[in-house]
Amino acid sequence: RRGRSCGGKRAGTARPPPARRAAQTMSPEEWTYLVVLLISIPIGFLFKKAGPGLKRWGAAAVGLGLTLFTCGPHTLHSLVTILGTWALIQAQPCSCHALALAWTFSYLLFFRALSLLGLPTPTPFTNAVQLLLTLKLVSLASEVQDLHLAQRKEMASGFSKGPTLGLLPDVPSLMETLSYSYCYVGIM
């Protein structure tokens, strides 16, 4: 009985600590995601000291770069989703929330069925980007619709008050929509 632990295993043959086991079993995708997260932290500190223009466009450039790095040509799916949502917001601001919801979830369904259609299967990172973009873009459309409804109420009442707290100042342009969508903070 000597040399055995309470669990019946020989002393010295214990399993490695959990942190070491996790490092040994991480997939290449998990390592890539860890690297992306570790890169994002110091970038945040750099942008913290920057002006608003650099924050907006720098964060979008970093996010687009990370998306291109992790998703490759499948980045096109995110661009199609963004452009479609932006077009709906511009065309129908009074009902863009329901339209954006239908559009993004329909595209998400198509996206998830790519392998069934014989098209190349996107990377797991592309899947994560699409899921997060769906949430972001539906939320953006909801904000635009709220802005449009508030503007209609102002016009009906006949008097204009200042900007309402919590509402977008204006319907976002294409560049503003792209910078919001690709901001590295919420892209992965």
Side-chain angles (χ1 to χ4, degrees):
R1 287 272 174 203
R2 277 190 128 176
R4 291 191 183 257
S5 66
C6 295
K9 293 183 181 179
R10 292 187 154 242
T13 61
R15 293 174 55 175
R20 190 167 174 202
R21 278 196 318 265
Q24 293 171 348
T25 61
M26 284 179 62
S27 70
E29 289 86 11
E30 291 170 324
W31 279 108
T32 302
Y33 191 68
L34 179 64
V35 168
V36 166
L37 289 176
L38 292 175
I39 288 172
S40 297
I41 293 168
I43 289 174
F45 286 110
L46 293 174
F47 285 142
K48 188 175 181 179
K49 297 176 182 177
L54 181 59
K55 281 181 185 177
R56 172 186 279 177
W57 301 113
V62 169
L64 181 59
L66 290 173
T67 304
L68 287 167
F69 171 69
T70 56
C71 302
H74 296 287
T75 301
L76 184 61
H77 293 290
S78 64
L79 185 60
V80 168
T81 305
I82 295 165
L83 292 176
T85 304
W86 176 79
L88 291 171
I89 287 171
Q90 298 302 311
Q92 293 291 323
C94 60
S95 57
C96 62
H97 180 252
L99 294 171
L101 184 71
W103 158 248
T104 56
F105 275 90
S106 296
Y107 195 87
L108 195 57
L109 179 65
F110 163 74
F111 173 79
R112 298 295 290 174
L114 286 174
S115 61
L116 298 174
L117 300 171
L119 297 169
T121 304
T123 66
F125 297 110
T126 311
N127 184 47
V129 168
Q130 280 301 116
L131 291 171
L132 291 169
L133 269 179
T134 297
L135 295 173
K136 286 174 82 170
L137 293 171
V138 169
S139 175
L140 178 64
S142 177
E143 295 292 327
V144 169
Q145 185 171 321
D146 288 348
L147 171 67
H148 183 73
L149 293 173
Q151 288 173 339
R152 281 194 1 199
K153 282 182 184 177
E154 274 184 22
M155 291 173 74
S157 71
F159 98 98
S160 177
K161 54 184 177 179
T164 308
L165 189 63
L167 289 180
L168 292 174
D170 203 5
V171 176
S173 68
L174 177 59
M175 294 307 289
E176 289 170 329
T177 303
L178 287 167
S179 72
Y180 169 72
S181 298
Y182 282 118
C183 178
Y184 82 99
V185 175
I187 200 72
M188 281 195 204

